[in-house]
C-alpha cells in the first residue's frame, strides 16, 4: 500500500517568515495530493490540493509543489501569521480511490 | 451547503460494549469514508462506501464495520470495545468532479473507552 512520510514533525517559525513542509510517497500510481490543517480539537480542514497533471498550485499565502519523478510534494506558507499555528497533514491517493494515506503530521508554531 | 455532520460528538463507553457512530455527508456527495485518528497511529483509513457498497477497506479487525443507506448517510459500528479503540473517528464526504475527487471531513466523534 501507499506509504507517506512527512518532515519535519515540528516546525517553529517567526511571524512573517516562511514555513515549508515536505512529504514523500511510495505509490507511483498516486495522483492526488491534498493538504489538511487541523487545529486543536477540530476537524482536518482541506487547505489546498494538487493533482499530478500540474507541478505547482498557489492560493494566496499557500502553495504546493509536486515532483512526480522524485515522488515528493511540499507545502509552502509565506508571511506566516499566528493563526497558521496548527498541525498540517499531507496525504496521497489515486484519483478514483477515495482512500487517503496520511503523513504523520507537522506541528507548526508561529511565534509572535 | 451544510458540511459533513457526525453524531454523537463525544461519548464514553465501557470495554466490551459496542458503539454506533453516524455520519451525514454533504448534500450530493455519494462517497463516505471513515478514519480513525489517534496520537500514536495518526490518521488511518477504515473503509469507504459508495451507493451503499463498501468499495475499500483498511487494515482493521472485523470488530469495525460500517454501512451506507440509500440517502448516502453512513454508520460505523465497533463491537467488543477495547481500550485501544479510544480515538477520534472522522467521517469524510467526497464527490468526484471533472478533475477528480475531493474529500472533506466532519468534526468527528470522540470515543473514550474505559
Amino acid at each position: 500500500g501507499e506509504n507517506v512520510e512527512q518532515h519535519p514533525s515540528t516546525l517553529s517559525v517567526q511571524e512573517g517568515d516562511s514555513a515549508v513542509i515536505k512529504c514523500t510517497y511510495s505509490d507511483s500510481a498516486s495522483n492526488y495530493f491534498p493538504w489538511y490543517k487541523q487545529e486543536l480539537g477540530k476537524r482536518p480542514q482541506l487547505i489546498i490540493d494538487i493533482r499530478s497533471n500540474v507541478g505547482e498550485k498557489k492560493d494566496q499565502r499557500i502553495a504546493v509543489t509536486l515532483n512526480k519523478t522524485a515522488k515528493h510534494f511540499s507545502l509552502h506558507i509565506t508571511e506566516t501569521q499566528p493563526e497558521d499555528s496548527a498541525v498540517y497533514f499531507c496525504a496521497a491517493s489515486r484519483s478514483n480511490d477515495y482512500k487517503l494515506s496520511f503523513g504523520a503530521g507537522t506541528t507548526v508554531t508561529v511565534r509572535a | 451547503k451544510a458540511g459533513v455532520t457526525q453524531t454523537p460528538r463525544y461519548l464514553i463507553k465501557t470495554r466490551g460494549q459496542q458503539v454506533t457512530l453516524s455520519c451525514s455527508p454533504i448534500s450530493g456527495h455519494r462517497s463516505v469514508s471513515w478514519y480513525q485518528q489517534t496520537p500514536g497511529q495518526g490518521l488511518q483509513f477504515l473503509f469507504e462506501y459508495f451507493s451503499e457498497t463498501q468499495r475499500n477497506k483498511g487494515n482493521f479487525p472485523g470488530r469495525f464495520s460500517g454501512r451506507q443507506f440509500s440517502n448516502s448517510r453512513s454508520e460505523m459500528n465497533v463491537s467488543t470495545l477495547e481500550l485501544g479503540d479510544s480515538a477520534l473517528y472522522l467521517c469524510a464526504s467526497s464527490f468526484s468532479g471533472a478533475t477528480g475527487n475531493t474529500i472533506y471531513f466532519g468534526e468527528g466523534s470522540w470515543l473514550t473507552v474505559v
Side-chain angles (χ1 to χ4, degrees):
Chain A
E2 174 69 277
N3 181 45
V4 178
E5 294 191 355
Q6 183 172 346
H7 299 280
S9 56
T10 61
L11 181 58
S12 180
V13 296
Q14 190 70 35
E15 183 177 0
D17 287 350
S18 295
V20 180
I21 303 169
K22 298 181 179 181
C23 290
T24 61
Y25 61 98
S26 61
D27 184 357
S28 57
S30 289
N31 53 13
Y32 176 58
F33 307 94
W35 287 87
Y36 290 87
K37 173 185 179 182
Q38 188 175 31
E39 296 176 26
L40 191 62
K42 297 196 173 183
R43 65 183 174 91
Q45 181 180 5
L46 178 67
I47 57 172
I48 196 167
D49 58 11
I50 192 167
R51 302 185 193 273
S52 61
N53 57 341
V54 297
E56 184 173 0
K57 184 177 179 180
K58 189 174 181 180
D59 183 4
Q60 299 182 7
R61 297 185 296 107
I62 295 173
V64 58
T65 58
L66 171 64
N67 183 326
K68 282 220 75 179
T69 303
K71 289 192 280 188
H72 68 71
F73 56 112
S74 301
L75 178 72
H76 304 252
I77 307 173
T78 59
E79 302 172 21
T80 53
Q81 300 167 6
E83 52 264 38
D84 294 330
S85 295
V87 180
Y88 292 81
F89 293 94
C90 63
S93 80
R94 301 182 179 189
S95 61
N96 295 316
D97 201 329
Y98 296 86
K99 171 187 174 181
L100 291 172
S101 296
F102 282 89
T106 298
T107 301
V108 173
T109 303
V110 179
R111 308 187 306 272
Chain B
K1 277 187 178 178
V4 182
T5 304
Q6 292 189 244
T7 57
R9 292 293 319 281
Y10 306 92
L11 65 168
I12 301 174
K13 291 287 187 177
T14 304
R15 273 182 301 175
Q17 287 186 316
Q18 71 164 10
V19 65
T20 298
L21 309 177
S22 180
C23 172
S24 292
I26 295 170
S27 178
H29 289 196
R30 297 170 63 189
S31 169
V32 174
S33 49
W34 291 87
Y35 292 78
Q36 181 196 66
Q37 185 174 26
T38 61
Q41 299 299 316
L43 280 151
Q44 292 186 290
F45 173 80
L46 280 156
F47 29 64
E48 186 248 343
Y49 288 87
F50 183 88
S51 293
E52 302 179 67
T53 300
Q54 186 183 89
R55 294 198 300 188
N56 212 335
K57 189 176 188 302
N59 296 321
F60 279 81
R63 300 185 297 108
F64 292 81
S65 63
R67 60 176 176 170
Q68 186 181 33
F69 303 96
S70 58
N71 61 357
S72 294
R73 191 178 68 84
S74 176
E75 290 181 347
M76 69 162 282
N77 183 276
V78 188
S79 62
T80 320
L81 285 165
E82 302 177 358
L83 295 178
D85 296 333
S86 295
L88 175 63
Y89 289 89
L90 292 159
C91 172
S93 165
S94 313
F95 75 94
S96 183
T99 55
N101 53 306
T102 305
I103 300 170
Y104 300 94
F105 285 91
E107 294 290 349
S109 293
W110 290 90
L111 171 65
T112 301
V113 182
V114 297

